[in-house]
Amino acid sequence: MARRPANPISESMDDYLKAILVLGGSEGKKVTSTALARRLNVTPASITNMLQKLAASTPAMVQYERHHGVQLSSAGKKRALEVLRHHRLIETFLYEVLNYPIEEVHDEAERLEHFISERFEERIAAKLGHPKFDPHGHCIPALDGRMPKDSSMRLTDVRDEGTFIIDSISDIDARILKVLKVRGISPGVQLRVRDIYEDHGYAVSIGSSKKILQLSQADSAAIKIQPM
Amino acid sequence: MARRPANPISESMDDYLKAILVLGGSEGKKVTSTALARRLNVTPASITNMLQKLAASTPAMVQYERHHGVQLSSAGKKRALEVLRHHRLIETFLYEVLNYPIEEVHDEAERLEHFISERFEERIAAKLGHPKFDPHGHCIPALDGRMPKDSSMRLTDVRDEGTFIIDSISDIDARILKVLKVRGISPGVQLRVRDIYEDHGYAVSIGSSKKILQLSQADSAAIKIQPM
DNA sequence: TACTCGATTTAGGTATGCCTAAATATTAGG
DNA sequence: CCTAATATTTAGGCATACCTAAATCGAGTA
């Protein structure tokens, strides 16, 4: 029964799989080349190349039809969740154990996630008490890949004034993360939408404070919320 | 004064520099291609290629004359010491903070050393209290690259019975490391040489114990000692 | 001094993963 | 339903870092 060995998964392949996952390319939805190109900071041509490779590998990591987007196969999704788990555990570790400033954990985790062993993962998870959320409020996939469904919504989808709980903050832009930190905007905090400037941001207040904060559109786009 | 930027140092280049340092290619001594090839598990041809590259980079990382070996330039030595510091700090961290078994720290550190930031280094050094030695007994270079001179000798150079203190254990072979661990051979322990089997190993005893342990030549070669 | 053998270098080739420019497919508007 | 604008793919290149096979060098010995 000479089962041929699964071909190795490179660091780059991992990055692509994780990006597809985060952009929603599991559960039937498809992701476009352009969206991937933007997220990964490479040209669309490079995306096409890699998608062909991911589709051709054994087992196939994605389902891909040219000009019609990609989505993860079950093997691809499994792998992407492993990488995401690594990433978020490392972020939590850097924040909790090594006292990193929140806006620095992402870049470091982004590099390290490809190189830590299963043992490293196991040890930091144990040290942290098997956390369910990273410091940005994002859910950490379990070892078996299970992850509760995310019921949060984007602040930028809000059309009416109201009160919410901050669910999570996107970690990709350190600058925004720092801006939000100094304004007290972090997961779990209550956020009241006071005014909406169509496509130009929001006026909000935090907790029980009456102070009004102006958030740019870019800042607002990094915030996910839950209705109270 | 458009100073041209120093060209980037790749992960591979770091590996070569570190290998040259450890094989003694600082302080005037030269290292042969073959020795490097053996240590890095690549062919001699690959070594030649990389040495040419290291010699041609700005600033030059090594001095290299074909057929006559290499040695580190001051820039190369500085860099190699940085990488070695990373490596040994990470080993110490894995052992002390994450409770790794000693025989597993090397391989993990070998991968991670290339990817941690200055911040990561600074934080783990602080957390560990700026240690001077790694768990194998090797000296950790200071931030400025200074490192006390190593006055230890190889157990395999011992020709007469006598008593010594174990200085350090080579970390490159996990199997040997584990064998030595279960026999109680670790840095700081007293080791008595009882019998010498020319090129076939040693009979030793540990601490105040009378029990005689047989060490193979390979096991012995991993041990460095200090006269008492 | 010349020869031989081991050490080293050169030449040429592989794979990854990125790029640009040119070609082509899809989609939305008229 | 056709066309323009946009999205995507193809083709051809570059750099890194490794390999093998075929030269070539150099140190010790006859």
Side-chain angles (χ1 to χ4, degrees), chain A residues 34 45 48 52 64 66-67:
Chain A
T34 321
T48 300
Q52 289 171 342
Y64 167 60
R66 54 200 203 126
H67 295 285

Side-chain angles (χ1 to χ4, degrees), chain A residues 22 39 84-85 87-89 91-92 102 105-106 131-141 147-148 150 152 166-172 177 187 221-224:
Chain A
V22 171
R39 182 160 185 109
L84 195 62
R85 176 175 159 84
H87 182 89
R88 293 182 173 170
L89 275 174
E91 287 194 338
T92 311
I102 185 102
V105 301
H106 174 77
K132 294 229 171 354
F133 298 93
D134 75 14
H136 307 297
H138 297 127
C139 190
I140 299 175
M147 192 166 52
D150 177 11
S152 65
I166 296 173
D167 178 86
S168 59
I169 317 279
S170 166
D171 59 353
I172 43 180
L177 217 36
I223 300 172
K224 295 189 92 177

Side-chain angles (χ1 to χ4, degrees), chain A residues 89 123-132:
Chain A
L89 275 174
R123 289 295 158 100
I124 64 177
K127 184 146 203 110
L128 294 166
H130 301 282
K132 294 229 171 354

Side-chain angles (χ1 to χ4, degrees), chain B residues 154-170:
Chain B
R154 311 179 166 284
L155 173 54
T156 47
D157 288 339
V158 170
R159 289 285 150 266
D160 296 300
E161 295 166 22
T163 306
F164 306 89
I165 294 290
I166 296 173
D167 177 86
S168 59
I169 316 279
S170 166

